[in-house]
Amino acid sequence: MQDVIVGKYRLSKTENFDAFLAEIGLGYIKRKLAQSTSPEITITRDGDRWTMVTSSALSTSDVSFTLGEAFPEERQDGVSVTSRVTADGNTWTQTQKPGDGRDVTIVREFGDTELKVTSTIGSVTAHRVYERI
C-alpha cells in the first residue's frame, strides 16, 4: 500500500467545492480564499503511523494517525472533530465527526499518477483531483 500512497500531490481539478464549503458553514469570503489556492498534500509513513500535511498559500495543516483508530483533528475551517481513517486497498475513507452531528466523509482514491478526493456532507458532494508531483 505504501508505494502508491506515499508522496506529494498538487490540486489540478475541482468540482462543487464551493457548495461543499458552504454546507459545512464557511462564509463567502473564506470560501473564495480557499478556492483561490492550489493546495499540496504530502503523505508520509513511519511504521503504522501516517502523516498527511496539506499546505497552501493561506494555511498549513497536518494530521498523524494510525489506520482504523480515532484521533482528534482540527479541520481547516477551525472546527474540532473526531476523525477515523480506514483503508480498503488503495482507498482511504475518513469520517469526521463534529459535535453538531453533521458528519463529513472524505474518500481518497490513490492511483499511480493522481489522487481523487470525494468529500460529502449531507447531500452535497465535492470532487477534487490532485496530480502526483
Side-chain angles (χ1 to χ4, degrees):
M1 184 180 344
Q2 180 177 1
D3 293 339
V4 176
I5 295 174
V6 169
K8 192 170 188 176
Y9 307 86
R10 180 178 297 127
L11 181 67
S12 62
K13 297 177 195 170
T14 188
E15 176 187 311
N16 210 37
F17 194 55
D18 185 67
F20 173 80
L21 294 176
E23 189 68 19
I24 65 171
L26 213 57
Y28 177 80
I29 293 172
K30 287 185 178 180
R31 290 195 325 261
K32 294 307 169 195
L33 285 171
Q35 294 178 83
S36 70
T37 65
S38 292
E40 292 183 356
I41 298 173
T42 303
I43 299 175
T44 57
R45 181 179 185 183
D46 183 11
D48 289 340
R49 196 98 178 129
W50 294 88
T51 300
M52 186 166 41
V53 178
T54 304
S55 60
S56 72
L58 299 175
S59 67
T60 298
S61 69
D62 66 84
V63 293
S64 292
F65 57 90
T66 300
L67 292 171
E69 293 182 6
F71 61 95
E73 178 183 10
E74 185 172 322
R75 289 192 318 217
Q76 287 188 312
D77 63 352
V79 173
S80 294
V81 298
T82 299
S83 283
R84 182 183 314 266
V85 179
T86 58
D88 182 8
N90 292 333
T91 300
W92 282 358
T93 301
Q94 179 178 5
T95 304
Q96 296 177 330
K97 295 185 174 286
D100 65 5
R102 295 181 41 87
D103 295 358
V104 173
T105 301
I106 304 166
V107 177
R108 295 176 178 90
E109 298 174 64
F110 296 91
D112 291 332
T113 61
E114 65 184 14
L115 162 61
K116 295 179 182 178
V117 180
T118 303
S119 303
T120 304
I121 180 171
S123 63
V124 178
T125 298
H127 301 278
R128 302 185 104 190
V129 176
Y130 294 78
E131 293 178 357
R132 185 181 292 274
I133 54 176

